[in-house]
């Protein structure tokens, strides 16, 4: 099967497994795991932030961040299709007792003006606007990247109104590699950043939350409450350290493959339009919802897996486990449909 369902389907390479096998470990709840401590140090340093915290998933790093930034009754401002709102099981309400102010974005991105207009007046009737959460790249937007200037404008609004500024950077490395943006710049812009090791970077498990020492102190307490305190997790950290060293630059290959795939999808008679991919996500619009199901069936029968992406779209994601040959074969099949 040529599996385009997600960049989470990758399996660790031999070299990554070797690094995991050789990991020095300890009990991380006691703060004793040298590999975890090293991963957290390396990641924090990379972004020029004070501290980092390893967690089992990106959902957990996002939910912990929201929990630390807010109090029950506060309001979180985010895009209407953002992962923190749409794909985390209502966690903002369930875990943190917050309401959500949803903004309609362009390809998953919101503007400083929209944020400014969404901030509640200081009035006892209203929830208290407390946090802005952005997503880069945007999953539902089709792997789109924010410009630094757009982020700076939103940050200025957050500072003016004393709002926290969180980044769901599950695919931040895709954005940085594609645009040439700098990790330290992101560290300056945001109060907290979540990055996934288990997406394009090819680790089996893991995400990191970055922030100040005080923020991460509180995040560690919340992680324990959420059940995310792990013991000899250094085996997973070793995969993360390996990925940060070896799997960032190669994301360019995934982006090239996404562009090649998008071209083939445009030649496919069953596809109406294809959004020009910016990174490793390709979104193809088809005639209607029934067409989505039937095309996914046909693709599957020919050895290609993809997923439904809303009412009339299909998402393909390129990743580490898809070779040039896989892409070539998939393109041949897609063009012949
Ligand atoms: C995958 C993803 C996450 C985190 O997902 P987990 O499966 O919980 O690790 C968060 N945000 C975005 C945008 C994602 O695509």
């Amino acid at each position: 099967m040529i599996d385009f369902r997600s960049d989470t389907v990758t399996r660790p390479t031999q070299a990554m497994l070797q690094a995991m096998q050789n990991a020095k470990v300890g009990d991380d709840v006691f703060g004793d795991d040298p590999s975890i401590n090293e991963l957290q140090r390396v990641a924090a340093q990379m972004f020029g932030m004070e501290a980092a915290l390893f967690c089992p998933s990106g959902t957990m790093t996002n939910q912990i961040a929201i929990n630390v930034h807010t109090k029950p009754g506060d309001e979180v401002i985010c895009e209407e299709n953002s992962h923190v709102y749409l794909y985390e099981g209502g966690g903002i309400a369930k875990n943190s007792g917050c309401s959500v102010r949803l903004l309609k974005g362009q390809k998953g991105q919101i503007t400083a003006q929209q944020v400014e207009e969404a901030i509640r007046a200081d009035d006892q009737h209203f929830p208290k606007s407390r946090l802005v959460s952005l997503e880069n790249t945007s999953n539902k937007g089709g792997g789109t990247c924010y410009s630094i200037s757009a982020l700076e404008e939103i940050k200025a609004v957050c500072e003016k109104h004393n709002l926290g500024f969180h980044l769901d950077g599950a695919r931040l490395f895709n954005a940085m590699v594609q645009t040439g943006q700098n990790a330290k710049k992101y560290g300056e812009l945001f109060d907290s950043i979540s990055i996934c090791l288990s997406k394009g970077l090819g680790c089996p498990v893991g995400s990191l939350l970055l922030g100040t020492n005080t923020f991460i102190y509180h995040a560690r307490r919340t992680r324990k409450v959420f059940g995310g305190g792990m013991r000899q997790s250094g085996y997973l950290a070793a995969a993360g350290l390996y990925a940060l060293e070896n799997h960032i630059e190669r994301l360019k290959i995934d982006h090239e493959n996404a562009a090649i795939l998008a071209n083939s999808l445009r030649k496919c008679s069953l596809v109406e339009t294809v959004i020009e991919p910016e990174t490793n996500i390709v979104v193809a619009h088809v005639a209607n919802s029934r067409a989505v199901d039937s095309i996914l069936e046909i693709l599957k029968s020919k050895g290609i897996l993809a997923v439904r992406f809303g009412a009339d779209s299909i998402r393909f994601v390129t990743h580490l486990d898809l070779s040039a040959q896989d892409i070539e074969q998939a393109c041949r099949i897609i063009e012949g449909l």
Side-chain angles (χ1 to χ4, degrees):
M1 280 289 175
I2 304 175
D3 195 344
F4 290 105
R5 287 174 303 168
S6 174
D7 43 9
T8 54
V9 301
T10 57
R11 264 154 268 198
T13 62
Q14 278 305 320
M16 182 180 277
L17 282 171
Q18 196 67 54
M20 294 170 75
Q21 200 163 13
N22 295 339
K24 294 202 170 44
V25 298
D27 187 328
D28 180 51
V29 174
F30 289 106
D32 280 352
D33 191 300
S35 301
I36 286 284
N37 293 339
E38 176 67 0
L39 174 65
Q40 291 174 166
R41 189 190 63 75
V42 166
Q45 190 180 31
M46 181 182 271
F47 285 84
M49 294 181 97
E50 285 177 3
L53 185 70
F54 183 78
C55 292
S57 72
T59 298
M60 190 180 281
T61 44
N62 281 332
Q63 290 298 319
I64 289 173
I66 290 163
N67 192 261
V68 174
H69 280 295
T70 61
K71 289 198 185 73
D74 286 350
E75 192 159 72
V76 178
I77 297 170
C78 61
E79 207 271 339
E80 63 180 357
N81 291 314
S82 57
H83 198 281
V84 291
Y85 172 69
L86 196 57
Y87 293 106
E88 298 185 7
I92 296 177
K94 187 164 182 166
N95 298 322
S96 298
C98 291
S99 66
V100 184
R101 185 79 190 260
L102 296 178
L103 301 178
K104 196 179 266 310
Q106 285 283 337
K107 291 189 174 181
Q109 300 181 352
I110 56 178
T111 65
Q113 188 186 341
Q114 282 180 295
V115 171
E116 180 113 51
E117 287 167 7
I119 294 167
R120 308 284 186 183
D122 183 9
D123 177 315
Q124 61 179 334
H125 295 87
F126 298 149
K128 196 170 167 50
S129 303
R130 179 64 204 110
L131 176 69
V132 174
S133 179
L134 301 187
E135 187 174 309
N136 198 28
T137 68
S138 162
N139 171 34
K140 278 297 246 182
T144 49
C145 307
Y146 273 97
S147 70
I148 292 293
S149 60
L151 297 175
E152 283 172 339
E153 285 169 28
I154 299 173
K155 182 187 175 56
V157 173
C158 291
E159 280 187 335
K160 181 170 149 202
H161 296 274
N162 198 26
L163 305 182
F165 197 24
H166 173 69
L167 177 63
D168 176 355
R171 296 190 179 85
L172 181 55
F173 289 107
N174 294 87
M176 291 195 303
V177 160
Q178 186 61 28
T179 58
Q181 294 162 351
N182 173 272
K184 295 220 164 55
K185 183 72 201 175
Y186 276 93
E188 281 169 25
L189 281 166
F190 289 92
D191 299 315
S192 56
I193 299 178
S194 160
I195 54 173
C196 284
L197 302 166
S198 56
K199 295 260 162 92
L201 295 190
C203 292
V205 178
S207 287
L208 285 155
L209 182 60
L210 310 165
T212 62
N213 285 326
T214 308
F215 183 87
I216 295 299
Y217 167 81
H218 291 293
R220 189 182 304 279
R221 293 188 65 94
T222 304
R223 183 183 70 173
K224 195 78 185 78
V225 175
F226 286 1
M230 296 180 287
R231 304 298 177 171
Q232 285 74 36
S233 39
Y235 293 111
L236 303 173
L241 283 162
Y242 180 87
L244 290 181
E245 220 163 272
N246 298 286
H247 288 174
I248 294 179
E249 278 307 311
R250 65 150 306 285
L251 290 170
K252 284 183 183 150
I253 300 169
D254 298 343
H255 302 171
E256 284 160 17
N257 286 340
I260 293 168
L261 182 70
N263 271 332
S264 280
L265 283 163
R266 284 198 190 93
K267 294 180 197 157
C268 174
S269 59
L270 301 175
V271 170
E272 303 220 316
T273 55
V274 181
I275 301 176
E276 183 62 30
E278 290 185 30
T279 52
N280 69 330
I281 297 176
V282 185
V283 180
H285 293 295
V286 299
N288 52 45
S289 183
R290 283 214 343 260
V292 171
D293 292 331
S294 81
I295 293 167
L296 287 175
E297 258 323 292
I298 294 167
L299 287 172
K300 194 172 175 187
S301 74
K302 295 181 181 296
I304 297 174
L305 297 177
V307 293
R308 170 186 283 278
F309 212 45
D312 59 358
S313 301
I314 298 175
R315 185 187 77 168
F316 299 79
V317 187
T318 56
H319 53 74
L320 185 66
D321 279 7
L322 295 175
S323 65
Q325 268 166 315
D326 290 329
I327 300 297
E328 213 173 286
Q329 193 185 336
C331 288
R332 215 170 28 240
I333 292 167
I334 286 166
E335 287 176 34
L337 289 180

